[in-house]
Amino acid sequence: MADQILTLAMGGGLDRHTGPMVDQGSSLIDLRNMVLGRGFAYVRAGATEVSTFSESVVCAIAPLPSERVSIAVAYDAGTRDVNVYRLTAGGESPALIGKWFTLHAQASAPPRVFAAEAGGLLFLAHDEPSPTRRAPTVYYNPATAFLHTLTADWVQGDDNIIRFRGVVPHLTHLAGWGFGDGAEHGPHIVRHSLPGQPSVFEFKHYMVVGQRGDPIMACAQAAGTLHVFKASQRWEFVGTSRLDFDVVLVDELFGLIASRAFWVLQGEVIFWSHAGPRSCTRGPSVDIAQPLGLEFPEPADLPALGDINNAFAAYLPTTQVVEFNFARRAYALSLVPERRWGYYERGFTPFCAGLLFPTAIVAGDPGYADNVTLEADEIAAADPSKRDVTVGWDNVEMVGDEVLEFWLLKDGDVDWTQVATTLVGAGDKQSFKLTALEPGTDYELQIRARRGGEYRDDYEDADPGNWPADSYLAFTTQLSPPELDAVWSRTSSSQEKIAVTLTPVHAGLDLELYRDDGAGGAFTLLATITAAQHNDEPFTYDDVSDDEGLADPNTEWGERTYRYRARTIGTSSVSDDSQVSCWAGPPKPTDFQAAAVPGVAYTFDASWTAGDIAAETELEEDYLCPASFVLNDTIAAGVEDATGVRVGTSFILSPLDPVEQQFNVRIRHKLTSFTVDDYSEFVGRTLVVIGDENEDDGYQSCP
Amino acid sequence: MSTPALFYGSADSGAILQAESGYSDDGADIRGLILAPYAEPASIHGDASFGPLWLELVWTAAATVKVTPIVAVPDPDGVMQETILTAEALEIEIEASATRRRNTFKFDVRTSLTEDGNEIARQAVRGQRCSFLVELTRSGEGLLMIAGFALGATAHTDQLIPANTETGA
């Protein structure tokens, strides 16, 4: 039995001065993923995914409370495109507003972004130290639902574009920092917009803060002033308007370690300096690093860990914790019941954070979608075997904060499925792309609007089949036919074949192959290739002359053009046909040209590109009227150049009286295999006029 | 204005995550960890036996609670040597509860005395200092809190004092 019981109350937090406890320890050596408060230590809450993007990183989240929506900025590491999305107030249902910019190749990636609402507009600034790599400052105007570039006529060059490093509301102004005039860099400059006009910046409305060239890291409005942070200083604005603005140095030693490593809470700025966490309202800052555990990277060690530039602060309102995030690590300052430090290790890597207002609901029924139509049906961008279908509709009685639900019932299914949501648009008309639908399939669509968890009365039924017909659409997705290719070959002295390759576009569907009789007649079904046979891979069907019951392929089957058609057989429909034609013989020569040899009567230089370099080439002329071709010459194979081009072949036409005539010449290949000659189509039929320099006896037409 | 909530933008994937929501980091377990300060009941030159440990929990969530003793004794040079007694760790499972429950769990931490690899006896954790690593992992929605813990200790007179330390004989 123990002689004594040593108790330890919770709530002590991390203590860098913790030493041996004799009998009344009050602080902890290590504390991870725990929150302290009111005599308890409890495991912190987690994080739950509410929306996803096709891009790689979400680099900014900001509320737009005046519109009861949110804005997110997402970065695609592959294309380096930075796109802006509109979301619900609770961060759901992202709807693309548009592309903001493509990140410069040498700019910091992912991009850091400052977002600030002023005058009902949401401004976005690219926090890139290098002005030449910095994106234009833009603002989202919910009235137009577009991104607008911030410009001023005094900005030199570059289409008058302003490129702030960050923006923040200050009194009735919008303050932007880090931009000169376009020609001269201004990392030390803070500019103020006209009061009440956050998108209008006059040239002279700026302040130089501290030493020129020493960049401003960030600005924060708190305690009635604008705090201007540099890396090792903090300045404060005094005055209430541009007429009496001044800026004074209030902290000569402590600045901001990273541009987003601060949080404003009830007039207090809690920030991380090069020496660790500090706090300020007005005047010099105070150290709030005590007590802070030693079991983790020391504040002074953090820069060496490489997580500094993207460090950011955030505030957890439920637990009243300010956290400083360094990739997956976070120092967490519990504010109640007294300030204590903890340490978090996360299962994911946050890049940014934003306080949103997810339950901002207005009264009244949501609107509804009307006149739903099918606008487009195309091969799915992400999966060519599927279909992307765009539907359009009219927004009726929408307020602007509704979420639209898309419900589909596929042919053969019993239950409807909600497949997508989006935020209602600003306009009367809206469209949305439903992705990756099954091809050739009947679908029924219903669109329902909700605000929070509220629906219109006639949309409250759990079965979308009972909702009004206004928002209903039945449609059948299209099918794409397979791609076709056909190649002729001779396989014996009595047999030829055309290998027809069908490449399926859609997975798991049968294909049908048809062929005509080679004389422009009707098509007949050659074969049905089942999904199991082609297995979603290119499938080659050998159309062999023997199999078709053609007794003599050299006459019946031979030299003619056959047309093939193929189509895809879907659940509810069949596709259009794809078609390919194939000459049942060797490929023809191309680029046939003949040019008269000056001064040498009836003599021409000919050139062509061989269709088959193993084939001979026959040249015919039609000196016998009318158009009765006779063989002029047979040119042996094997003298083409590496690209199959045959040049330098001259021929002499047969002269007749009268000497001035017109000749037609044509060429074709003759390919001999298995002792059988196969011929290509004729090409060229070049009209050659032979002139007589001595006489003009007039043209002699054919009798 | 309604109640605000914090949302993270993820650098791992294009996703927005709501903070202070759920019991995991988007599927990854959250392991709460507390390392208590060292108890040293016999002062800096003393020796003590430690145990049991009482842990008072408040919970509604199903969870796993693991306690690992850490003991420290000075080596002959007087340098404190810390040993994490991983093999002596004790683990309990608590079930989810619809209502908030509060209970004090006793962890009877002891070390094994072995001979030729066979345990022949168990004895109290002994050393100059002792601490405990407490790990808490929820496996479902709900609350999991530590309201306090206490450590039993018996100070001994047969002190483990290195002979070559300044205070040694």
Side-chain angles (χ1 to χ4, degrees):
Chain A
M1 187 66 183
D3 292 339
Q4 53 185 317
I5 305 299
L6 309 177
T7 61
L8 178 66
M10 289 298 102
L14 293 172
D15 188 348
R16 62 170 54 175
H17 298 301
T18 296
M21 176 184 69
V22 176
D23 59 1
Q24 286 295 322
S26 62
S27 295
L28 303 166
I29 299 173
D30 198 345
L31 182 69
R32 302 189 192 192
N33 295 319
M34 303 292 289
V35 178
L36 301 171
R38 298 180 178 88
F40 296 96
Y42 52 93
V43 183
R44 69 169 173 84
T48 305
E49 183 179 286
V50 295
S51 57
T52 58
F53 299 76
S54 59
E55 290 85 350
S56 327
V57 179
V58 175
C59 41
I61 305 168
L64 190 52
S66 59
E67 288 290 315
R68 296 183 290 274
V69 297
S70 308
I71 300 295
V73 180
Y75 166 68
D76 188 319
T79 63
R80 299 183 75 84
D81 285 348
V82 180
N83 297 315
V84 181
Y85 289 84
R86 188 168 181 253
L87 309 99
T88 66
E92 298 173 290
S93 305
L96 181 67
I97 296 172
K99 177 181 166 182
W100 176 7
F101 65 98
T102 299
L103 187 65
H104 189 283
Q106 275 76 48
S108 174
R112 294 182 300 274
V113 173
F114 277 98
E117 184 190 16
L121 309 175
L122 190 88
F123 290 81
L124 298 169
H126 179 201
D127 178 27
E128 168 61 40
S130 168
T132 57
R133 300 169 187 170
R134 195 181 302 155
T137 301
V138 296
Y139 59 94
Y140 171 67
N141 185 347
T144 63
F146 289 118
L147 292 175
H148 303 264
T149 301
L150 189 63
T151 60
D153 56 11
W154 48 263
V155 178
Q156 299 183 36
D158 200 15
D159 296 327
N160 306 119
I161 294 172
I162 293 175
R163 297 170 189 268
F164 286 132
R165 187 175 170 182
V167 287
V168 65
H170 180 212
L171 303 174
T172 59
H173 310 267
L174 180 72
W177 64 89
F179 182 72
D181 62 3
E184 182 181 0
H185 297 166
H188 49 280
I189 286 176
V190 174
R191 293 187 174 277
H192 277 80
S193 73
L194 293 183
Q197 300 180 66
S199 62
V200 181
F201 284 81
E202 298 288 349
F203 175 63
K204 292 185 178 180
H205 294 197
Y206 70 89
M207 299 289 290
V208 171
V209 181
Q211 183 177 343
R212 291 177 180 272
D214 182 16
I216 295 167
M217 298 286 286
C219 297
Q221 181 178 232
T225 187
L226 186 69
H227 300 259
V228 182
F229 287 95
K230 294 198 169 189
S232 57
Q233 292 177 338
R234 186 170 56 84
W235 298 65
E236 288 181 10
F237 267 73
V238 295
T240 56
S241 76
R242 196 190 70 84
L243 298 176
D244 61 350
F245 273 157
D246 198 0
V247 62
V248 294
L249 178 64
V250 292
D251 202 329
E252 298 183 34
L253 298 177
F254 299 104
L256 200 58
I257 198 169
S259 58
R260 302 180 300 167
F262 70 92
W263 194 267
V264 177
L265 193 65
Q266 293 184 316
E268 176 185 7
V269 186
I270 301 172
F271 65 98
W272 202 284
S273 73
H274 67 279
R278 301 185 69 83
S279 167
C280 65
T281 51
R282 303 291 294 260
S285 61
V286 295
D287 183 12
I288 57 171
Q290 304 288 349
L292 183 59
L294 290 172
E295 299 293 319
F296 316 110
E298 280 288 286
D301 296 335
L302 284 168
L305 297 176
D307 295 328
I308 288 303
N309 288 337
N310 290 333
F312 68 95
Y315 174 64
L316 298 163
T318 303
T319 48
Q320 299 182 57
V321 168
V322 174
E323 57 181 27
F324 289 92
N325 292 280
F326 301 88
R328 292 193 172 213
R329 301 171 294 131
Y331 284 99
L333 179 63
S334 294
L335 301 180
V336 289
E338 57 184 347
R339 296 190 171 191
R340 293 294 182 186
W341 284 97
Y343 180 77
Y344 296 168
E345 291 173 332
R346 298 190 198 284
F348 66 100
T349 311
F351 184 76
C352 67
L355 266 186
L356 305 182
F357 303 90
T359 57
I361 304 296
V362 299
D365 279 345
Y368 63 96
D370 195 10
N371 297 324
V372 184
T373 58
L374 186 67
E375 294 187 344
D377 182 345
E378 56 200 351
I379 293 176
D383 180 359
S385 72
K386 305 285 188 182
R387 307 294 299 186
D388 287 348
V389 169
T390 302
V391 293
W393 65 91
D394 296 336
N395 286 319
V396 181
E397 299 178 16
M398 300 286 190
V399 173
D401 63 348
E402 290 92 343
V403 173
L404 299 174
E405 302 172 347
F406 297 87
W407 293 77
L408 281 178
L409 180 64
K410 191 172 74 172
D411 184 30
D413 285 356
V414 176
D415 297 322
W416 291 72
T417 304
Q418 183 179 323
V419 294
T421 61
T422 191
L423 200 61
V424 68
D428 293 336
K429 292 187 177 296
Q430 192 172 354
S431 62
F432 186 79
K433 182 179 287 186
L434 301 164
T435 58
L437 302 187
E438 295 298 329
T441 304
D442 290 336
Y443 281 94
E444 294 179 73
L445 167 71
Q446 270 284 13
I447 303 175
R448 174 169 71 168
R450 68 173 164 83
R451 181 181 296 120
E454 299 295 323
Y455 303 104
R456 296 176 75 89
D457 290 345
D458 44 3
Y459 283 88
E460 286 188 339
D461 195 299
D463 182 1
N466 296 327
W467 298 347
D470 301 332
S471 47
Y472 173 84
L473 176 69
F475 62 92
T476 303
T477 50
Q478 294 181 7
L479 285 170
S480 293
E483 297 172 3
L484 273 182
D485 189 26
V487 177
W488 168 90
S489 64
R490 172 169 288 280
T491 54
S492 73
S493 61
S494 61
Q495 186 188 67
E496 304 170 31
K497 75 171 184 182
I498 295 178
V500 186
T501 301
L502 303 89
T503 302
V505 174
H506 303 297
L509 296 177
D510 294 350
L511 309 174
E512 287 180 348
L513 178 64
Y514 296 81
R515 193 204 62 205
D516 73 353
D517 58 1
F523 284 82
T524 55
L525 179 65
L526 278 184
T528 298
I529 298 118
T530 66
Q533 286 177 293
H534 63 67
N535 197 28
D536 305 333
E537 298 290 335
F539 180 89
T540 298
Y541 176 85
D542 288 334
D543 190 12
V544 183
S545 57
D546 289 355
D547 296 343
E548 310 307 323
L550 303 174
D552 184 357
N554 294 327
T555 56
E556 299 291 335
W557 167 265
E559 287 76 358
R560 63 179 66 179
T561 297
Y562 291 93
R563 293 178 298 159
Y564 293 88
R565 286 179 179 172
R567 61 184 185 176
T568 307
I569 310 302
T571 306
S572 308
S573 66
V574 297
S575 73
D576 294 336
D577 293 331
S578 53
Q579 182 166 319
V580 68
S581 297
C582 183
W583 175 261
K588 62 188 177 185
T590 56
D591 301 329
F592 174 49
Q593 296 179 33
V597 177
V600 184
Y602 307 111
T603 303
F604 292 78
D605 279 337
S607 67
W608 62 86
T609 300
D612 184 339
I613 61 173
E616 294 178 316
T617 304
E618 292 183 347
L619 188 146
E620 295 181 353
E621 61 177 70
D622 70 341
Y623 71 94
L624 294 175
C625 292
S628 178
F629 285 91
V630 297
L631 182 65
N632 176 287
D633 193 9
T634 299
I635 300 101
V639 290
E640 289 78 11
D641 66 11
T643 60
V645 174
R646 179 68 173 263
V647 296
T649 297
S650 60
F651 60 90
I652 304 171
L653 295 174
S654 305
L656 285 178
D657 290 330
V659 293
E660 184 171 333
Q661 293 190 21
Q662 289 183 329
F663 286 81
N664 290 324
V665 288
R666 63 186 187 183
I667 61 172
R668 68 175 180 179
H669 284 323
K670 182 176 77 173
L671 181 65
T672 304
S673 57
F674 300 103
T675 69
V676 178
D677 295 335
D678 290 298
Y679 297 93
S680 75
E681 295 173 276
F682 283 105
V683 296
R685 200 171 173 81
T686 304
L687 180 65
V688 180
V689 179
I690 302 171
D692 185 331
E693 299 176 352
N694 301 317
E695 298 181 26
D696 181 4
D697 296 329
Y699 175 70
Q700 300 295 316
S701 62
C702 288
Chain B
M1 190 67 75
S2 59
T3 305
L6 188 76
F7 291 79
Y8 298 112
S10 173
D12 300 327
S13 61
I16 291 178
L17 301 98
Q18 182 169 0
E20 301 182 291
S21 169
Y23 67 92
S24 69
D25 279 343
D26 197 28
D29 282 344
I30 299 171
R31 187 173 63 105
L33 184 148
I34 288 178
L35 179 58
Y38 279 100
E40 195 171 28
S43 188
I44 59 172
H45 291 143
D47 177 34
S49 298
F50 297 98
L53 175 78
W54 290 274
L55 194 61
E56 185 178 12
L57 297 177
V58 179
W59 79 96
T60 60
T64 302
V65 180
K66 182 180 179 183
V67 176
T68 305
I70 302 172
V71 66
V73 295
D75 66 9
D77 295 327
V79 178
M80 197 63 71
Q81 298 296 324
E82 181 182 88
T83 304
I84 300 174
L85 303 176
T86 307
E88 316 307 328
L90 297 172
E91 186 173 297
I92 60 169
E93 304 276 346
I94 56 176
E95 294 183 352
S97 172
T99 58
R100 181 179 292 204
R101 295 188 62 187
R102 185 171 190 144
N103 199 3
T104 299
F105 295 88
K106 179 183 176 184
F107 292 84
D108 199 9
V109 288
R110 292 183 180 276
T111 57
S112 294
L113 191 61
T114 60
E115 187 175 282
D116 298 330
N118 300 315
E119 181 180 281
I120 57 173
R122 294 183 67 79
Q123 62 184 18
V125 174
R126 186 165 177 174
Q128 180 175 313
R129 300 177 181 178
C130 183
S131 178
F132 287 87
L133 185 66
V134 183
E135 298 168 82
L136 308 99
T137 306
R138 284 171 296 181
S139 53
E141 295 287 353
L143 185 71
L144 179 60
M145 302 195 299
I146 296 180
F149 56 72
L151 176 63
T154 301
H156 300 295
T157 54
D158 52 337
Q159 299 172 349
L160 298 174
I161 301 174
N164 59 346
T165 60
E166 293 180 358
T167 54

